Amino acid sequence: MDIETQPDPAALRRSHRATIADAEPILVRQLVGEFTRRDMDAAALVRGLGFGLEDLTAFEFRVSYAQTSRLIRRATLLLPQQQLGLLLARASSLASWGLGLIGLMASADTVDMLDLATEYLRSTDHFVSLHRSDGEGGIELIAEPRFPDPDVSAVLVENAFAALVRLSRFVAGPNFAPLSVGFGCAAPPAAAALEEYFRCPVQFGQGQNRIVFPAAPQPIASADLLTAQLCRQLLAQRQRGERAASELEEAIVRALRADLRRPPPVKSIAQSVNLSERTLRRRLQQSGLSYAALLDNERMRRAVALLAESERSLVEVAEQSGFTDTRSLRRAIKRWTGRTPTQVRRGEG
């Protein structure tokens, strides 16, 4: 094979990484909210992406870059006159930042606030990497897209900077503003709207995506040292997290959890994510997974949880976990845990 036609290992790794569903769906929820406010079809916006509107209400729900980028491209086509990143940052609920917002509010001053924001804010951190660089002009935050996707990256970086400024003004006061903003993309038609929002010079076609804040710390009225430390600890724990599932695995697991008594056939799950059944099975195999193993794991999770956390009879546990009878349930519990259902219920072994 000619060297020029060989696959790029780095590109292959990025391609796989793009399908890992490990990002909080803040941007997805914001887009759905914006379409709903405009009386546009939000269900059509997410169709074929492996999840539905009902999934966005689940606390543990996560999305991949591939899903988010497809959604952004659709929204850009449907809202062509909008600065999408800025629009979403301005329209979003501050409460959607949850623990991150509390951490910002508890910070001692604006320098601590920006440090925490750089490390832990969870909107685009899986898609855009933020890091601090102290220059002579102030505190510089550099945004580097994690995937080579210029059109989508422009929206993500714009949203990250706009959201950061909105949060900072809420915490430090309405007059808090960056000193300058620079974007790597070309100037959009609505560039003036960005300069009006940031209240500072905004440049385009720069070598880096950069936002510069004043270096002098400004006190924060809601500062609380203990709360700030606790938030940092909790945010760090959440950031470490567990092994993230791929978006395909997440889609299958959600479909299975809906009704383990009547699990959907592979073909219907494949159709929901715009794949053929053969392609879905091949991708699972490439990840070391199978539909049968995922189904078995979900039945185990449901059965063990029901035994440990409820007083339901074995007949009820078997029925809700998708077993035909208690004998099948007993065999499965023994295979999974090496214990009997009674021992699992008592916490023995």
Side-chain angles (χ1 to χ4, degrees):
M1 179 185 294
D2 186 85
I3 191 169
E4 293 185 355
T5 65
Q6 292 179 359
D8 178 2
L12 291 176
R13 285 194 297 272
R14 287 195 298 268
S15 175
H16 171 70
R17 184 71 184 80
T19 66
I20 300 299
D22 60 353
E24 291 189 27
I26 294 179
L27 278 173
V28 176
R29 289 178 178 135
Q30 290 172 353
L31 277 169
V32 167
E34 186 62 28
F35 270 60
T36 301
R37 283 190 292 273
R38 293 169 178 260
D39 293 324
M40 300 174 72
D41 192 348
L45 181 68
V46 303
R47 188 170 296 137
L49 296 182
F51 61 88
L53 297 182
E54 66 282 359
D55 295 310
L56 298 178
T57 62
F59 177 78
E60 72 280 1
F61 178 65
R62 297 293 182 270
V63 292
S64 68
Y65 175 80
Q67 290 170 314
T68 305
S69 64
R70 291 198 293 269
L71 200 66
I72 288 174
R73 292 183 186 280
R74 290 179 183 179
T76 302
L77 291 173
L78 295 169
L79 300 171
Q81 305 303 317
Q82 303 292 330
Q83 285 299 127
L84 194 58
L86 176 60
L87 173 69
L88 297 180
R90 299 181 81 161
S92 64
S93 168
L94 289 171
S96 66
W97 296 87
L99 185 61
L101 176 60
I102 297 174
L104 296 182
M105 294 176 65
S107 299
D109 53 45
T110 52
V111 175
D112 286 341
M113 175 189 72
L114 292 172
D115 280 341
L116 185 142
T118 303
E119 289 185 71
Y120 298 120
L121 284 192
R122 306 284 294 186
S123 70
T124 56
D125 64 336
H126 286 71
F127 311 147
V128 175
S129 173
L130 273 180
H131 64 269
R132 174 173 167 173
S133 175
D134 293 335
E136 295 181 359
I139 298 174
E140 300 180 353
L141 299 184
I142 311 299
E144 296 181 350
R146 296 184 186 274
F147 299 91
D149 197 349
D151 293 338
V152 173
S153 294
V155 174
L156 293 173
V157 171
E158 178 183 296
N159 179 261
F161 284 172
L164 179 59
V165 168
R166 183 167 181 233
L167 287 164
S168 298
R169 286 175 179 156
F170 177 79
V171 172
N175 295 324
F176 188 75
L179 302 175
S180 65
V181 178
F183 291 105
C185 63
L194 292 171
E195 193 155 297
E196 179 183 359
Y197 176 80
F198 288 115
R199 301 181 207 157
C200 69
V202 178
Q203 296 179 309
F204 298 89
Q206 302 298 296
Q208 290 180 310
N209 299 294
R210 182 193 311 265
I211 186 167
V212 183
F213 289 96
Q218 300 177 29
I220 292 175
S222 55
D224 186 290
L225 178 60
L226 291 178
T227 300
Q229 290 176 341
L230 177 61
C231 285
R232 281 182 175 272
Q233 290 174 4
L234 294 174
L235 288 166
Q237 290 174 9
R238 186 175 68 178
Q239 194 173 69
R240 287 192 294 269
E242 300 178 353
R243 181 192 71 85
S246 71
E247 64 184 58
L248 183 58
E249 182 180 346
E250 289 279 2
I252 294 172
V253 166
R254 283 195 300 274
L256 293 174
R257 287 179 180 174
D259 190 350
L260 285 171
R261 294 167 294 186
R262 290 176 289 276
V266 177
K267 183 177 181 179
S268 68
I269 296 177
Q271 290 174 341
S272 74
V273 292
N274 290 339
L275 295 176
S276 67
E277 181 178 347
R278 181 179 179 183
T279 300
L280 184 147
R281 291 186 183 277
R282 186 185 75 248
R283 290 189 181 180
L284 284 176
Q285 185 178 29
Q286 289 171 344
S287 300
L289 299 169
S290 70
Y291 177 82
L294 291 173
L295 177 58
D296 190 58
N297 185 68
E298 285 307 307
R299 283 180 167 156
M300 176 187 69
R301 184 191 64 82
R302 180 75 60 83
V304 171
L306 289 173
L307 287 170
E309 300 169 10
S310 76
E311 297 299 323
R312 289 180 174 85
S313 68
L314 284 186
V315 172
E316 291 177 302
V317 172
E319 196 268 337
Q320 293 187 29
S321 302
F323 292 93
T324 55
D325 52 47
T326 57
R327 183 181 178 185
S328 299
L329 172 65
R330 290 178 187 277
R331 286 202 304 265
I333 292 291
K334 188 69 174 179
R335 172 169 56 86
W336 292 329
T337 69
R339 295 177 288 169
T340 67
T342 300
Q343 289 173 322
V344 171
R345 174 157 279 165
R346 294 174 179 172
E348 299 175 1

